[in-house]
Amino acid sequence: MKNTLLDNFYQEISTNFSDENKLDFKCQIHFNAEHEIYKGHFPQIPIVPGVCLTQIIKEILMEKLQKELILVNGDNIKFLAMINPKENPDMELSFTVKINENTLDVSANYSHGGTTYTKFKGKFSVLE
C-alpha cells in the first residue's frame, strides 16, 4: 500500500488507534505549509484542497486497517471552513468506521480548536 501524500504533504503526529478501538479513533495530523501544491492553490493564501482532504482519509484508513481501498461513494462531504496550513497546520481527524463484507462506511471530521472544518461521509470498497 503506497500512500501518495504521506510525509510530504502531511504527516500523522499521533493517534489513539488500536485493535480495541479501530472503529472509532482519532489522529493528529500536520500539514506541510511549504508543499508545492500551495503555489497554485493559492500562492498568497494557501488552502488545503478538498480532494487532498479526502485522499488523506483514505490513506490513513488503508494504513491503519492494512487494506487497499477505493472510494466508491462520497454521500456527504461538507467543507465548512477553509484550512490554511500556515495558520492551522495541525488538525484532529476523527473516524467512525462500520465494516461490512467488502465495504467500509466511514464518517470522518477535520477539526481544530473547537471548529469543524470538514465533515465526510462515504463508502470505500476493499480491493482484493
Side-chain angles (χ1 to χ4, degrees), residues 33-123:
E34 302 305 316
H35 192 275
E36 283 286 310
I37 203 164
Y38 299 120
K39 291 181 181 175
H41 202 271
F42 298 94
Q44 305 308 322
I45 303 173
I47 303 298
V48 179
V51 68
C52 294
L53 295 171
T54 303
Q55 179 69 18
I56 292 168
I57 291 168
K58 175 186 159 189
E59 289 182 9
I60 288 176
L61 286 170
M62 288 188 346
E63 189 261 324
K64 299 296 183 214
L65 301 176
Q66 291 297 293
K67 298 184 183 298
E68 286 286 340
L69 302 174
I70 187 168
L71 178 65
V72 292
N73 196 344
D75 292 356
N76 196 350
I77 304 172
K78 294 182 180 181
F79 302 103
L80 304 170
M82 294 182 288
I83 300 173
N84 180 332
K86 291 190 179 208
E87 292 176 358
N88 293 313
D90 299 325
M91 285 281 147
E92 179 176 273
L93 182 50
S94 58
F95 289 87
T96 302
V97 181
K98 181 180 176 189
I99 300 175
N100 300 310
E101 276 188 36
N102 287 320
T103 61
L104 304 175
D105 292 325
V106 177
S107 294
N109 294 318
Y110 286 89
S111 61
H112 176 77
T115 299
T116 300
Y117 288 81
T118 301
K119 291 183 177 183
F120 172 92
K121 287 189 184 202
K123 185 177 298 241

Side-chain angles (χ1 to χ4, degrees), residues 12-31:
E12 183 180 313
I13 301 168
S14 65
T15 186
N16 70 347
F17 178 86
S18 69
D19 286 338
E20 291 79 36
N21 68 340
K22 66 181 177 185
L23 302 180
D24 190 15
F25 65 96
K26 296 179 181 181
C27 298
Q28 296 291 327
I29 63 170
H30 178 82
F31 292 106

